[in-house]
Amino acid sequence: MTGDSSLHTRDVERDVRELGSMLGEVLEAQTSRSAFELVESVRTDAIGYRRGEVDSRAGVRRTLSDLGEEESSVVARAFTTYFELVNVAEERERVRAVREREAAGTLGDSIPAAVDRLAEAGVDAGTVESILGDILVEPTFTAHPTEARRKTVKAKLRSVRRGLDELDTRRLSAAEERGVERRLAAEVTGLWQTPQVRDRRPEPIDEALNVQWYLENTLFDVVGDVYDRLERALDERYDEPVEVPKLFEFRSWAGSDRDGNPHVTPETTAETLERQREVVLDRYREALGRLSGVLSQDDRRISTSGVIRERIEVHGERLPGVVERVQERYPHEPYRQLLKLMAERVERVGRVRPGGYSGPGALLSDLDALADDLRANGAESVASTHVDPLRRQVRTFGFSLASLDLRDHRENHTTAVTEVLAREGIDYEGMDEDERVDLLTEAILEDGPVIDVSATEGLSETAGRVLTLFDRTADWQAEYGADAIDTYCISMTEEPSHVLEVLFLADQADVVDLPGYSGLDVVPLLETEAALDGARRIMGTLFENEAYAAALAARDGVQEVMLGYSDSNKENGYLAAQWSLHHNQKRLAGITDDYGVELRLFHGRGGSISRGGGPMNDALLALPTETVTGQVKFTEQGESIAEKYAEPSIARRNVEQMLNAQIRARHAALDGSDEPTDARWTEAMATAAAAARTEYRDLLESDGFVAYFEQATPITVIEGLNLGSRPASRSGKRTVEDLRAIPWVFSWTQARCILPGWYSLGTGIEAYLDDGGDVETLREMYESWPFFRTTLDNAAMALARTDLEIAAEYASAADPDLERRFFPRLRAEYERTADLVLEVTDRESLVRRDWLSENLERRNPYVDPLNLLQARLLGQDHLTETERRTLRLTVKGIAAGMKNTG
């Protein structure tokens, strides 16, 4: 891919070559000539093998086996740093590609393309307005898996990104170009000298700050651009005005997700709420200051409305000393007077001094009045250019920047309710499910409190933490507004009582006051097969329950249900999990439809294919039509956040794709378009998924498999890395069931055997064919069914990123008997799956996209040495401290090279 000379002066090959050359110079300067030659030898030998110039990796393997401790460290650092720089160069190429396709008008998943589709389908302006009115896209940022990169490293890489952008898009003199190159060289030097491995495990507040950075520095500005693009596209295609409502809301779990993480305390959540409010208010003050520099209109030349004068008077009553100074300084500039008063009111939000805005609605009302007045005075361009962007930001980010979701494991709520009711003489533990539901319902509907959530003395640590959380939630909502923290997600929900326990505790804390008010959306997370199969029993019981029905009515009749992609995959395997999640979404839609409840699905997706990752646009368009209510929520995790939202142009592109998909999907749902399936297809999937699950479970439950996993992947190293604040397993035990999905996937990815993304898919397809199925039906499904096509395409990407020759290096470190039992089985399933995917998709290569082929070709020779070095270190019985640090560094490097942790 080469940049258009009219837009860009460089391409990815040049960026990679020059950054690599800078790194080589830094390596030699910071270490020695012999170290540079060593890295070059490893690099050229690895490239030679990948290009077929040598028959084996013996040369690379021999060189690595002879390395001393310090030499191993230099090799690991060199290749890790290389990938950090390559990732920036490839990101730059993505920006070029988007700009070129925009200029050529070939972005089929852009906002103008979505509006064009509606117009060409004959959709009138009123219907477009109705479609937009249904849409709410809620990306939800989580703290796990925390990126393998340190925040300091990311800051230096941002500087490299800016330098490449300057070289690529500006016409520089020779002297200016040399200046930029010197700054780039300085950043590469600083990157080399900066520790890649954290000396301490990050705390939850560090993770919250990481999420906050992307919201503050990228998305805060990008979202306004997206709204602007939509409004312009609508103006071009429709003569009648189309009102654009709020379409996005950003949410976060960072600092509020307590499931399995004892380090997330109420103090953490309080600090996160305060920091986020400070950030967004600072941005508003800056914007109001810029507006004051623009809106200098003289009231002797324009006719301001009474509304503007009234607002100045009202604000003046709240800020008497301020209004006098403002009117004296700007005697004939009413807009500036109002803006200065608005800025002062923003400054006082949450402060001791009175006069602050009560909420974002009041600030938005003032901005609306300004925009209307400007337009009445013939200043449409001023309003649309300078005021409207801030209006969109206030509407989207409010005073909280991102609303927090609370989350905890259902066992903790049950423990808390059991202990606190025991103090009242009630044996909750001894009750069956029906008795628990009846008790909780009666308690919620009582006028007075049953328990005191502030009284935690004598309770277990778990129960005390839960009660304190609910007690503090009431305070937080009073301080920051209910919208700042208004959702409670319950992990591993399996019974109606698990949901009612949360509603009961919220009621006792005055977060809920029924009938009429509920300050929380209570969200069951259905992630096990038992929970998904029991969805009608769980949700039906709740919808028929008097207390829960009242709470639901108080939340506008919208029921949010979260689906756990990660744990479903770990429990069932890739194909069975995909099918279970798909058809259970349809079941949930049917259940909510039967009860007249509006469904909002919350997709607990991860960055990897196995955890629901893959192109977001494709994923949203592949959802069952009956589930597309317009509202959709999904998690954004770990390195995916950086990949999608670090660079403004790419962030805008991702947000546009989400909106494009939702507009198209909602239009299809309203148009009565059913999901294109027939009985033969669903029968094929049911047969294949059942066989796939059996094979997957048989692998996991085979005697010795857990030991093989421990020996043939770097799971023990990953558990010891300072990657995130959350423990790797829920109880510290070494079982697949207890291990969190993130380190499970991360470990296989490191070993280049991305088993969670494809294992047993081939067995499932083969079972369908053996049962009388035919390839032509599968090809028909692939061609016409978005769900099946996305499932196979994502599996193909996981297969393409798998390298069994490298995986064999890790397998050889396992006990020989375990290696003989398991690795041939994995290899056979890989080959079966790859062959059948190619046959069904009627392709010659697993890699469908040219960019992915180029990406793999560029990366593989550089990942290989890190894998070989890591496998060698894992196979050693004893490691020195330097070797352990090098081993951890290889994990970082491979994660950067694979662009994936878990």
Side-chain angles (χ1 to χ4, degrees):
M1 191 188 306
T2 304
D4 183 335
S5 61
S6 64
L7 296 173
H8 302 280
T9 62
R10 301 169 67 90
D11 58 28
V12 68
E13 287 80 9
R14 182 178 179 183
D15 285 342
V16 169
R17 184 174 63 252
E18 292 185 4
L19 288 173
S21 177
M22 285 181 188
L23 177 59
E25 292 171 4
V26 168
L27 169 62
E28 183 173 359
Q30 296 294 313
T31 55
S32 65
R33 179 66 188 178
S34 61
F36 169 77
E37 290 173 349
L38 168 64
V39 171
E40 277 296 289
S41 173
V42 172
R43 185 180 75 87
T44 54
D45 285 351
I47 291 173
Y49 177 73
R50 282 286 180 175
R51 291 178 177 173
E53 296 168 1
V54 293
D55 295 333
S56 74
R57 288 194 171 98
V60 179
R61 195 178 287 107
R62 184 169 53 252
T63 301
L64 294 176
S65 66
D66 292 338
L67 296 181
E69 290 183 13
E70 291 302 327
E71 290 174 320
S72 295
S73 177
V74 168
V75 169
R77 174 171 288 277
F79 283 95
T80 297
T81 306
Y82 172 80
F83 278 122
E84 300 285 16
L85 296 171
V86 166
N87 287 342
V88 175
E90 290 184 347
E91 181 185 83
R92 184 71 224 155
E93 186 71 355
R94 290 169 64 194
V95 173
R96 291 187 190 101
V98 170
R99 293 189 72 202
E100 290 164 8
R101 292 176 63 193
E102 281 181 334
T106 58
L107 275 180
D109 49 7
S110 67
I111 286 176
V115 174
D116 287 345
R117 289 173 71 101
L118 293 177
E120 289 162 9
V123 180
D124 60 42
T127 304
V128 172
E129 199 166 284
S130 176
I131 290 170
L132 295 177
D134 291 337
I135 291 174
L136 182 65
V137 181
E138 298 183 82
T140 303
F141 297 92
T142 74
H144 63 283
T146 301
E147 288 182 84
R149 286 178 294 183
R150 297 179 61 216
K151 186 177 179 182
T152 304
V153 171
K154 287 189 290 185
K156 295 185 180 302
L157 293 173
R158 285 197 297 272
S159 296
V160 173
R161 182 185 300 117
R162 286 194 292 269
L164 290 182
D165 177 58
E166 197 171 355
L167 289 172
D168 191 34
T169 58
R170 287 186 55 197
R171 296 187 180 276
L172 303 174
S173 67
E176 289 172 331
E177 188 170 324
R178 286 194 297 272
V180 175
E181 289 170 348
R182 281 196 299 272
R183 292 199 300 274
L184 278 173
E187 290 297 343
V188 174
T189 301
L191 189 62
W192 178 265
Q193 295 176 336
T194 298
Q196 288 273 355
V197 180
R198 290 188 183 97
D199 292 322
R200 67 172 180 87
R201 183 176 289 276
E203 298 174 359
I205 197 64
D206 297 321
E207 296 168 334
L209 289 173
N210 180 57
V211 166
Q212 178 186 300
W213 187 92
Y214 295 102
L215 290 163
E216 175 187 2
N217 292 289
T218 306
L219 286 165
F220 188 83
D221 296 312
V222 160
V223 168
D225 295 339
V226 173
Y227 276 108
D228 185 63
R229 284 170 178 255
L230 175 60
E231 291 178 348
R232 290 178 184 277
L234 290 167
D235 286 344
E236 289 175 7
R237 293 305 303 257
Y238 288 92
D239 295 330
E240 301 174 52
V242 176
E243 183 177 347
V244 176
K246 174 181 175 179
L247 300 169
F248 297 98
E249 182 174 295
F250 294 93
R251 307 188 69 90
S252 177
W253 282 11
S256 59
D257 177 11
R258 286 160 174 72
D259 180 20
N261 193 343
H263 308 299
V264 178
T265 64
E267 289 70 31
T268 304
T269 305
E271 185 175 352
T272 301
L273 286 165
E274 180 62 27
R275 283 175 181 261
Q276 289 188 171
R277 182 169 70 178
E278 287 178 0
V279 163
V280 77
L281 293 178
D282 281 346
R283 292 300 306 264
Y284 292 152
R285 283 195 294 270
E286 291 169 7
L288 291 169
R290 289 193 299 272
L291 270 180
S292 181
V294 172
L295 302 187
S296 55
Q297 283 82 349
D298 187 334
D299 65 5
R300 290 167 296 191
R301 298 183 177 219
I302 62 170
S303 176
T304 55
S305 69
V307 173
I308 298 296
R309 290 190 295 274
E310 287 171 10
R311 288 177 184 268
I312 293 172
E313 290 175 9
V314 170
H315 293 328
E317 291 172 4
R318 294 176 182 270
L319 311 167
V322 178
V323 73
E324 292 171 5
R325 292 196 303 272
V326 166
Q327 289 178 332
E328 183 178 335
R329 184 171 182 180
Y330 306 109
H332 293 287
E333 299 171 83
Y335 295 154
R336 274 186 166 171
Q337 291 177 19
L338 179 56
L339 285 165
K340 291 295 183 182
L341 293 169
M342 290 165 63
E344 182 64 26
R345 293 200 66 187
V346 169
E347 173 67 33
R348 296 189 183 195
V349 171
R351 308 297 184 193
V352 175
R353 289 185 299 167
Y357 279 114
S358 59
L363 172 59
L364 185 60
S365 178
D366 281 344
L367 290 169
D368 289 343
L370 270 174
D372 290 344
D373 209 75
L374 284 165
R375 289 184 165 94
N377 278 286
E380 165 65 35
S381 61
V382 177
S384 61
T385 302
H386 298 289
V387 182
D388 289 351
L390 181 55
R391 294 168 69 198
R392 299 183 190 110
Q393 287 167 331
V394 173
R395 191 163 47 182
T396 301
F397 297 98
F399 282 178
S400 58
L401 188 64
S403 300
L404 296 187
D405 284 8
L406 294 163
R407 184 173 79 131
D408 208 341
H409 196 285
R410 47 96 170 169
E411 288 180 352
N412 295 335
H413 309 131
T414 302
T415 296
V417 171
T418 298
E419 291 186 27
V420 77
L421 288 179
R423 295 196 305 199
E424 308 299 324
I426 300 171
D427 181 17
Y428 186 76
E429 185 175 19
M431 295 180 178
D432 63 24
E433 175 63 18
D434 290 342
E435 290 170 332
R436 290 183 176 189
V437 167
D438 289 343
L439 172 68
L440 293 167
T441 302
E442 184 178 342
I444 293 167
L445 294 175
E446 278 192 21
D447 291 335
V450 175
I451 62 170
D452 181 0
V453 294
S454 65
T456 59
E457 188 175 349
L459 298 178
S460 68
E461 182 182 355
T462 296
R465 289 178 71 246
V466 169
L467 290 184
T468 300
L469 172 65
F470 280 93
D471 191 30
R472 294 291 300 277
T473 298
D475 297 335
W476 293 329
Q477 291 195 342
E479 169 69 16
Y480 300 99
D483 290 346
I485 184 164
D486 63 352
T487 297
Y488 200 111
C489 187
I490 309 163
S491 297
M492 291 292 174
T493 300
E494 293 190 338
E495 298 291 347
S497 63
H498 297 153
V499 178
L500 291 174
E501 285 165 357
V502 169
L503 188 63
F504 164 70
L505 292 170
D507 173 73
Q508 300 301 294
D510 293 329
V511 177
V512 169
D513 185 13
L514 300 177
Y517 177 75
S518 176
L520 287 178
D521 280 326
V522 184
V523 180
L525 169 48
L526 307 180
E527 45 197 330
T528 65
E529 194 69 16
L532 289 166
D533 288 344
R536 180 167 287 275
R537 174 182 60 82
I538 297 168
M539 302 312 301
T541 300
L542 291 170
F543 295 154
E544 293 173 2
N545 181 275
E546 183 181 358
Y548 193 79
L552 196 60
R555 302 296 293 181
D556 297 323
V558 177
Q559 175 64 59
E560 184 173 306
V561 177
M562 185 174 183
L563 298 174
Y565 287 68
S566 304
D567 283 285
S568 181
N569 179 280
K570 186 162 68 72
E571 179 187 12
N572 303 295
Y574 176 70
L575 183 64
Q578 294 296 313
W579 178 237
S580 174
L581 289 162
H582 186 79
H583 79 78
N584 276 299
Q585 288 178 56
K586 297 166 74 74
R587 289 178 59 218
L588 283 167
I591 295 166
T592 52
D593 189 54
D594 289 345
Y595 284 93
V597 172
E598 184 175 348
L599 175 66
R600 176 169 62 231
L601 283 175
F602 183 5
H603 301 275
R605 296 160 51 90
S608 63
I609 297 301
S610 60
R611 299 181 57 239
M616 179 60 71
N617 187 267
D618 293 345
L620 293 175
L621 289 171
L623 296 176
T625 304
E626 54 267 54
T627 70
V628 182
T629 61
Q631 297 189 38
V632 67
K633 187 174 175 181
F634 47 86
T635 51
E636 296 278 30
Q637 300 187 1
E639 73 289 331
S640 296
I641 297 176
E643 188 174 345
K644 292 180 177 181
Y645 302 111
E647 207 287 329
S649 297
I650 294 173
R652 176 175 52 77
R653 167 84 171 132
N654 275 284
V655 174
E656 276 205 48
Q657 285 181 307
M658 295 172 197
L659 185 55
N660 170 285
Q662 279 302 94
I663 290 173
R664 291 168 58 188
R666 186 56 182 155
H667 172 236
L670 291 175
D671 200 38
S673 302
D674 294 325
E675 186 181 8
T677 59
D678 64 25
R680 293 177 302 130
W681 299 359
T682 54
E683 288 170 8
M685 277 304 306
T687 300
R693 186 181 192 279
T694 299
E695 167 61 23
Y696 177 80
R697 293 304 309 174
D698 184 70
L699 174 70
L700 264 60
E701 293 163 8
S702 294
D703 185 41
F705 178 73
V706 172
Y708 175 78
F709 167 64
E710 188 172 51
Q711 296 171 27
T713 76
I715 177 61
T716 54
V717 183
I718 288 167
E719 288 178 326
L721 281 174
N722 294 324
L723 288 180
S725 66
R726 181 188 305 277
S729 63
R730 287 183 166 86
S731 68
K733 297 183 294 184
R734 170 72 82 245
T735 65
V736 173
E737 286 73 21
D738 192 68
L739 189 72
R740 290 191 172 278
I742 297 153
W744 163 254
V745 178
F746 195 175
S747 300
W748 289 112
T749 303
Q750 285 277 304
R752 304 286 288 281
C753 181
I754 311 178
L755 174 154
W758 50 260
Y759 190 84
S760 76
L761 171 61
T763 292
I765 293 175
E766 193 173 76
Y768 160 72
L769 295 173
D770 290 345
D771 193 45
D774 60 274
V775 172
E776 288 308 315
T777 297
L778 295 174
R779 286 179 174 171
E780 180 185 327
M781 292 162 62
Y782 179 77
E783 180 66 28
S784 304
W785 192 7
F787 159 73
F788 189 67
R789 181 168 60 253
T790 301
T791 298
L792 258 60
D793 284 347
N794 285 341
M797 281 197 284
L799 288 163
R801 288 190 165 106
T802 293
D803 188 318
L804 289 188
E805 189 175 345
I806 292 292
E809 299 281 343
Y810 289 83
S812 66
D815 178 272
D817 179 59
L818 294 176
E819 179 188 7
R820 286 191 295 271
R821 288 170 56 195
F822 290 108
F823 190 70
R825 180 173 179 176
L826 301 186
R827 181 186 293 278
E829 184 61 27
Y830 174 87
E831 292 172 352
R832 179 185 300 112
T833 302
D835 289 345
L836 286 168
V837 166
L838 290 175
E839 186 175 3
V840 172
T841 59
D842 198 21
R843 297 201 304 258
E844 295 183 359
S845 170
L846 291 168
V847 181
R848 187 181 62 166
R849 297 176 172 89
D850 290 341
W851 62 263
L852 180 57
S853 178
E854 294 173 7
N855 180 289
L856 293 173
E857 185 177 337
R858 184 182 302 118
R859 288 168 177 276
N860 280 335
Y862 293 84
V863 183
D864 294 348
L866 286 169
N867 282 120
L868 295 172
L869 179 57
Q870 184 183 89
R872 179 174 73 80
L873 292 170
L874 288 170
Q876 293 181 200
D877 292 333
H878 302 288
L879 297 176
T880 67
E881 179 56 36
T882 298
E883 288 172 328
R884 281 195 291 271
R885 193 170 184 84
T886 298
L887 183 55
R888 292 196 295 270
L889 187 55
T890 64
V891 173
K892 302 292 186 80
I894 294 168
M898 298 292 289
K899 297 186 77 172
N900 204 290
T901 54

